[in-house]
Amino acid sequence: MALLKVKFTQKKRVKLAQGLWLMNWFSVFAGILVFSMGLFLKIELRKRSEVMDNSESHFVPNSLILMGILSCAFNGFAGKICYDSLDPAKFAKWKPLLKPYLALCFFFNILIFFVALICFLMRGSLESTLAQGLKNGMKFYRDTDTPGRCFMKKTIDMLQIEFKCCGNNGFKDWFEIQWISNRYLDFSSKEVKDRIKSNVDGRYLVDGVPFSCCNPSSPRPCIQYQVTNNSAHYSYDYQTEELNLWRRGCREALLHYYSSMMSSMGAVVLLVWLFEMSVMVGLRLLHTSLESIANPEDPECESEGWILENSLKDTMKSMLEYLKKIGKFNQVEADAEGAEGEEGGKTPAITTVS
């Protein structure tokens, strides 16, 4: 028994073809939207590539760009088929291509669904990429005179100001690295010498943060040096007082920004997938309804359209049997090749008669 069998008159077939033609062009615009989202996400990731450890995060925008291009191509082609299906003479040339095209559409829709899921599941990979990238970026903050790293200070400062964040996980991350360049240190000062000697790696560590960590909305002037020294500031207790530094780490801020963007894009791609699935089902019904016309010379006669010629269970069985046959055929060929090799390797016995 065929799955989702529907009876069609000529009027219904014409309406279905016209509706599908319109839906395909809507799908082309949806493909342009998906392509644009991928391009926008790629640009946003490129903006902050200096604080990302690798290029794994670009898998999502690259996939969206590819899906957008393929969607425009597939749906533009399907729109042409639907338009030509109104004329039996024009539709005849598309008949041999429809089954392979529908098979390609099926795999294309699987890919779209996979890309939509990836948009929701990339959070973990993005988090590790940002954590390591920000850690490395903070280490190079002081290297304003080193070629290739002189821009890192500006990048980190602009990042902390824009996203209202400080450090990797928080402002205390700055206490663990030397973020002040040696060119601004007075090595004749006892305090500088003591701090450098007290550190195993010979670094100048302070309980301070860059100016970009300061919250300009705070009523108190920013305390960015000697943050943990209560006696250094009047009426101050860093453990109980609301510090005028950004509390949130930049990893969390960037992760929230990109993951929320990807989740929104994933939802849009999921809607596009549902729309593409409905177009594919409609195209399959149109294909079968045109092929099942009993009398091609009488286009006004009724016909039947269906999604699957047999039930889902029977279709799965036939597919499994087909795959088994292919497997057996390959095995027989491999055995035959092996036997030929063995025969070729044998040396004929020579009998000598004395």
Side-chain angles (χ1 to χ4, degrees), residues 216-268:
S217 301
S218 175
R220 182 168 184 160
C222 184
I223 297 174
Q224 64 178 109
Y225 293 106
Q226 296 184 324
V227 177
T228 58
N229 186 359
N230 293 333
S231 60
H233 311 283
Y234 176 73
S235 184
Y236 175 73
D237 186 354
Y238 83 96
Q239 291 181 328
T240 59
E241 187 171 333
E242 184 71 26
L243 296 180
N244 49 10
L245 304 175
W246 300 119
R247 292 279 187 163
R248 187 169 64 162
C250 290
R251 178 184 56 82
E252 182 189 345
L254 282 172
L255 184 64
H256 175 73
Y257 175 72
Y258 285 121
S259 59
S260 60
M261 187 188 296
M262 287 185 184
S263 297
S264 302
M265 290 179 179
V268 173

Side-chain angles (χ1 to χ4, degrees), residues 68-302:
I69 294 170
L70 290 177
S71 179
C72 291
F74 272 92
N75 289 292
F77 183 70
K80 175 64 176 171
I81 293 174
C82 294
Y83 182 78
D84 286 349
S85 65
L86 299 174
D87 185 352
K90 289 183 178 180
F91 181 71
K93 65 180 180 181
W94 298 116
K95 273 189 177 181
L97 298 174
L98 272 172
K99 279 189 178 179
Y101 174 74
L102 286 167
L104 285 173
C105 283
F106 178 74
F107 288 110
F108 172 65
N109 283 318
I110 290 174
L111 286 175
I112 290 181
F113 184 73
F114 176 71
V115 170
L117 286 181
I118 290 295
C119 288
F120 294 108
L121 300 175
M122 277 295 289
R123 182 183 175 92
S125 175
L126 187 63
E127 185 173 9
S128 60
T129 297
L130 286 169
Q132 190 60 40
L134 282 165
K135 187 177 179 181
N136 293 334
M138 289 171 64
K139 286 180 181 178
F140 302 144
Y141 183 87
R142 65 173 181 167
D143 297 338
T144 52
D145 297 329
T146 307
R149 297 178 186 173
C150 53
F151 60 88
M152 192 56 73
K153 180 183 182 302
K154 180 182 177 181
T155 299
I156 296 291
D157 283 334
M158 294 303 295
L159 178 69
Q160 292 187 148
I161 291 170
E162 182 180 352
F163 286 91
K164 299 179 179 180
C165 58
C166 185
N168 192 345
N169 299 304
F171 68 90
K172 288 187 178 180
D173 292 337
W174 289 108
F175 299 175
E176 300 172 3
I177 62 171
Q178 181 181 337
W179 56 272
I180 301 174
S181 176
N182 287 336
R183 68 181 296 185
Y184 301 114
L185 295 177
D186 181 9
F187 287 96
S188 62
S189 169
K190 185 178 182 301
E191 181 193 353
V192 173
K193 288 180 181 178
D194 290 343
R195 283 189 178 275
I196 292 174
K197 286 179 182 179
S198 63
N199 187 267
V200 177
D201 298 326
R203 294 177 297 170
Y204 181 76
L205 303 182
V206 294
D207 56 343
V209 296
F211 77 97
S212 52
C213 284
C214 294
N215 181 0
S217 301
S218 175
R220 182 168 184 160
C222 184
I223 297 174
Q224 64 178 109
Y225 293 106
Q226 296 184 324
V227 177
T228 58
N229 186 359
N230 293 333
S231 60
H233 311 283
Y234 176 73
S235 184
Y236 175 73
D237 186 354
Y238 83 96
Q239 291 181 328
T240 59
E241 187 171 333
E242 184 71 26
L243 296 180
N244 49 10
L245 304 175
W246 300 119
R247 292 279 187 163
R248 187 169 64 162
C250 290
R251 178 184 56 82
E252 182 189 345
L254 282 172
L255 184 64
H256 175 73
Y257 175 72
Y258 285 121
S259 59
S260 60
M261 187 188 296
M262 287 185 184
S263 297
S264 302
M265 290 179 179
V268 173
V269 175
L270 208 55
L271 290 173
V272 172
W273 171 75
L274 290 171
F275 196 73
E276 291 282 356
M277 285 293 292
S278 63
V279 171
M280 186 181 70
V281 169
L283 193 60
R284 174 63 176 168
L285 287 172
L286 179 64
H287 168 223
T288 51
S289 66
L290 288 168
E291 277 201 334
S292 62
I293 293 175
N295 185 8
E297 295 180 0
D298 182 19
E300 294 185 3
C301 66
E302 289 188 353

